[in-house]
Structures are given as C-alpha cells and as structure tokens.
Amino acid sequence: MMPWRARPAAGLVGEAPVPGDKSISHRALMLGASAIGTTTISGLLEAADVLATARAMRQLGASVERLATPAGITWRVQGRGVGGLDEPASVLDMGNSGTGARLVLGLLASHPFLAIVCGDASLSARPMRRVIEPLSRIGAQFWARRGDRLPLAMTGASDPLPIEYRLPVASAQVKSAILLAAVNAPGVTTVIEPEPTRDHSERMLRHFGAKVEVETLADGGRAVRLEGYPELCGRPITVPGDPSSAAFPVVAALTVPGSQLRIANVGFNPLRTGLYQTLREMGADITAAERGDGGEEPVADLVVRAGPLHGVTVPAERAPSMIDEYPILAVAAAHARGRTRMLGLGELKVKESNRLAAIAAGLTACGVRVDVGDDWLEVEGAAGPPPGGGIVATHYDHRIAMAFLVLGLGAREAVTIDDGEAIATSFPEFIPLMRGLGAGIEAVGTDGDGGETSG
Ligand code: S3P
C-alpha cells in the first residue's frame, strides 16, 4: 500500500498531455492479433491493463513488439488471421482489467481449445455471467468459480453459432465480447443494446475490413449486425488520448481557482463525452476544438478554465456515455452550488470496486454531505472548496484514487488516499503530470518522491 496526500493548490496552468485511450488500446491489440498481416499502433496506452492484453495476445501466438522509432513509440502486431490463434500454454492473467478479461473471453469463445483466465483480487470479484451467458449460446463452455467469477477455464466452440442477443445491461464490454466471438462464426450475429454504448469495436472492426451495420431502434436502442468470417487485414491505428483520463486534470482545472489547462488530442467520441456535457451544464468553462484528423474516432483539443459550478440532475440514460466518470463528477459536484443528482448508477457497484459505496464513503470522510441509494447518488455542493481533510479508502481502484487526489487539490484541507498503486493500471504518469502543473501531491511517510525516509 502506498498512501499519497494532495494539498490545496494554487492555479494549475499549462499543457496536460493524457495517455492513450484504454478501450481503444485493448481493441487495437486484439483485432491486430485477429487480422492477417501487420497492424501498427501509435499512441497505445502503456499501462498495466493494456500490457496484460499485449502479453495475452503473445501467449495466443501473435507477435507483439514495442518499437522506438525517431517518430516516437510504435507497437507492431503480426496477426494470426480470423480463427487463427493458438492454444495458450499457460494461464492468461488479465490483471485488474475487466475489459481485457471480458474481451479475451469473447475472442476465445470461437477458438476450439482450452484456456484458463485469471486476474487480480478486484477482477476475481467481478461478475463474468454477463459474458458467459451469450458466449455459451455461441457454443463455448465455461467452468468458473462460484458466482461465475474468475479464475475460469473455457473451451471455445468448434462450430460457433451466430446469435441474436439482447443485452440485459448496457455494456460495451459484453457487446464487444460477442462481436469478437462472432468474427469467427458463420452468418450474421446481432447484438441489441437497450441504450447506445461506446462503439469503438464497431468502428475498428470496419476499419479492419469487417461488415458491421448499426440500426437505431424506435425505443432509442441499437441493433449491431456483424457478418461472420470477414477477412480482417492489419491496419495502422492512431490511438487518441483517453477522455476518461483527461477527466481528472479537467476537473482539477475547474475546481482549483486560477487554473487554465490545455489538453490536446482527446478522444471525443459522442458515446464517451457525457461528463463533458454534464460539466458544461454545471456552468464549466470548457472549449473543445474538433481536430478532424482522428481517423476512425473523433478527437478534440480541450481548454479548461476554473470557475463556479452549480448542481444539476444527470439523467440515467446518460450513464453509458460517462460510466467511468462518476467518481470525478462527484468531486466536481462537491464544489458546486446546490445539489447534484446522479441517476442510473447500478453498474458502478461492479466496477474495479463498488464505486457507488467508495465515492459516498470518500466524500463523507472529506466532510461532504451525500445521500446514496441502490442506484443513485446525491451530493450537496459546498459552493466553493469542500472541507477535505479525510483519509480515503481506494479499494485498489485507479479512478477512486485519482478522483480523491483531485478533491485534495481544491479542498480547504489536504486529502490522503490509502493507496495510489492502482493508478498505474490506466494513467501511470498522473502524479508526475499533476505535480508538473503545480499540484502538491506527496507520498505519505516518505521523502515525497515515493522513496522511504530513513527516519
Ligand atoms: C469499457 C466499457 C465500460 C467501462 C470500461 C471500459 C470498454 O464497461 O466501464 O472501463 O472498453 O468497453 P461496461 O461496458 O461493462 O459498462
């Protein structure tokens, strides 16, 4: 456990580069491994979650290399073609990553061999039933721990079936697991989602040559249809900055008086920008200039200036487009004038931690008034800096850790988090980046740079 403390800061000013998008990085490695020929990836997120996926793709027979070129770092994947992965000789360890694990289960569901998949304590507590159920219909078999948890063993289908499947929860991970399995199945597979979720898989599958059609349904949902056995061909991919990582410096800039940050090259897919819409409704000064050079994905340069915020109601139907952003939205809400109501949060209970409980407990520890229900949260804003001063339990959850460090930067008193190690799963440069912008974030009980003091 490595505790950190964030002290109230003066203005944060400058450029805040954010790392590559985590969702797109996982998909680039997996589709690269499933394609014929070479996929080159620039901007890949080099964080623990994605490195676990890179390792898994090597275990499945793809060549995955990191190349340092004069133009920067490129990752090169030599794929095996659709259905061409090898049986892994050892266990696939997906670390902390729900996306890595669920998408790999999808990929393997139409490969007729045995695989054993595990993860860390947090991932081993997360539900896998949501992918086991549809992937079993395709023909895969699973032997999972009680409650359908990891570790599990599986054998993929030797004669995969196309399915039509209506998602019981809005989940891009489940949709993507089915689509990855369906690539190696005959006929047309249809996934019906009740509310649109991030469509990175659909965009990237098309980019690699697959036929994917999307129909908007009368009830606002979507039907995604994939034609099986496409010839996937290796392609260059440029991964934009992660809007879910950018969210932390963005809210820091909004809530630390005197701040102004520019964050260039942020993925601005409309199915990921619910936080930015919500912050603007709260009165945030955020400008987003679309770049037009993002290839398959919309990309924008953001400029954010500190200013007052007011409470709003965030409707349940917006949740899929900002599902990872509620911890940091709750921090913004703690600064706002009035109440912020967040609805439709049931899925937060099965993320890297029970985020609904972790947010409520963390804010309470920092003197912020909250009311929490089974799938909703209300935060009573302080109309300025909230008290702070608490010690926050992070439950090895990167987004809880970063959100509460940001709270400490704008609070009246410093905030301590019990452990910052999980930050490396998605944003390893977060603490150095924030310090470079003027934030006082220190390791507790150490010399301030992460090294132990002798005394
Ligand atoms: C992701 C989808 C989301 C999100 C996760 C990444 C993805 O999960 O929380 O961090 O890359 O598809 P769900 O789709 O299960 O809500």
Side-chain angles (χ1 to χ4, degrees):
M1 298 268 269
M2 170 68 83
W4 292 85
R5 181 176 302 132
R7 280 186 281 110
L12 307 170
V13 178
E15 288 270 339
V18 291
D21 188 274
K22 184 148 70 70
S23 294
I24 297 173
S25 294
H26 284 296
R27 288 160 171 80
L29 290 168
M30 291 190 199
L31 283 181
S34 308
I36 291 173
T38 305
T39 291
T40 49
I41 311 168
S42 62
L44 186 88
L45 171 63
E46 295 185 344
D49 275 12
V50 173
L51 297 179
T53 291
R55 204 168 45 238
M57 293 305 107
R58 287 192 193 105
Q59 288 174 273
L60 295 167
S63 147
V64 182
E65 294 166 287
R66 180 182 192 270
L67 308 171
T69 70
I73 303 295
T74 298
W75 286 72
R76 187 167 64 196
V77 183
Q78 303 282 358
R80 302 299 302 261
V82 168
L85 297 174
D86 291 338
E87 181 177 87
S90 53
V91 173
L92 303 174
D93 183 350
M94 304 315 294
N96 188 247
S97 179
T99 308
R102 295 190 178 116
L103 269 56
V104 142
L105 297 183
L107 199 58
L108 295 177
S110 50
H111 283 80
F113 52 64
L114 177 86
I116 299 171
V117 180
C118 72
D120 70 6
S122 148
L123 184 54
S124 303
R126 296 179 66 183
M128 293 296 146
R129 180 84 221 142
R130 53 184 58 198
V131 282
I132 289 176
E133 220 265 306
L135 298 176
S136 300
R137 294 194 195 188
I138 289 172
Q141 287 184 286
F142 295 86
W143 295 268
R145 213 159 53 83
R146 194 178 330 148
D148 292 310
R149 320 262 159 182
L150 298 185
L152 65 70
M154 67 179 289
T155 50
S158 39
D159 291 308
L161 301 169
I163 59 169
E164 176 170 317
Y165 190 73
R166 174 175 276 277
L167 300 179
V169 284
S171 167
Q173 292 180 353
V174 179
K175 170 177 66 176
S176 301
I178 297 169
L179 293 176
L180 287 173
V183 162
N184 193 35
V188 174
T189 292
T190 305
V191 183
I192 297 167
E193 45 183 9
E195 290 157 67
T197 65
R198 64 189 71 191
D199 61 354
H200 305 306
S201 300
E202 294 91 308
R203 287 172 187 257
M204 203 181 289
L205 278 161
R206 282 199 202 102
H207 182 56
F208 276 82
K211 198 165 163 217
V212 183
E213 280 172 5
V214 179
E215 184 192 346
T216 302
L217 305 172
D219 63 2
R222 288 188 181 188
V224 180
R225 294 191 183 85
L226 171 82
E227 216 167 87
Y229 297 142
E231 183 153 349
L232 298 183
C233 297
R235 288 271 193 279
I237 295 179
T238 303
V239 181
D242 195 323
S244 299
S245 296
F248 299 100
V250 163
V251 171
L254 291 173
T255 56
V256 174
S259 298
Q260 177 166 335
L261 291 183
R262 180 169 178 277
I263 309 177
N265 188 34
V266 179
F268 228 56
N269 182 319
L271 295 169
R272 293 284 299 281
T273 50
L275 173 76
Y276 297 90
Q277 181 185 351
T278 304
L279 290 171
R280 282 184 174 142
E281 288 171 5
M282 295 171 80
D285 182 353
I286 301 175
T287 60
E290 296 256 352
R291 289 164 67 106
D293 60 352
E296 303 314 300
E297 293 280 346
V299 175
D301 295 335
L302 309 181
V303 175
V304 187
R305 289 180 198 82
L309 301 172
H310 56 82
V312 295
T313 294
V314 190
E317 57 273 17
R318 199 177 293 166
S321 69
M322 54 179 296
I323 193 65
D324 293 332
E325 278 64 83
Y326 288 98
I328 194 64
L329 175 64
V331 168
H335 287 262
R337 176 177 300 281
R339 256 184 184 249
T340 297
R341 297 183 175 82
M342 303 167 221
L343 307 171
L345 306 189
E347 279 292 295
L348 292 196
K349 293 185 286 189
V350 290
K351 292 295 176 187
E352 285 82 329
S353 67
N354 177 344
R355 284 188 178 155
L356 192 53
I359 296 168
L363 288 178
T364 304
C366 293
V368 180
R369 269 196 45 211
V370 300
D371 287 309
V372 61
D374 191 46
D375 67 349
W376 55 267
L377 177 71
E378 294 191 5
V379 177
E380 189 66 48
I391 300 176
V392 173
T394 54
H395 306 282
Y396 200 73
D397 185 326
H398 53 136
R399 300 199 199 279
I400 297 295
M402 289 186 276
F404 281 95
L405 289 176
V406 170
L407 184 72
L409 300 178
R412 289 205 289 274
E413 282 178 54
V415 170
T416 303
I417 60 165
D418 66 349
D419 186 22
E421 268 176 52
I423 294 172
T425 63
S426 71
F427 199 164
E429 294 301 309
F430 174 71
I431 290 175
L433 168 73
M434 297 308 290
R435 283 174 162 178
L437 296 170
I441 302 180
E442 291 149 10
V444 177
T446 67
D447 59 14
D449 284 318
E452 294 293 327
T453 46
S454 50

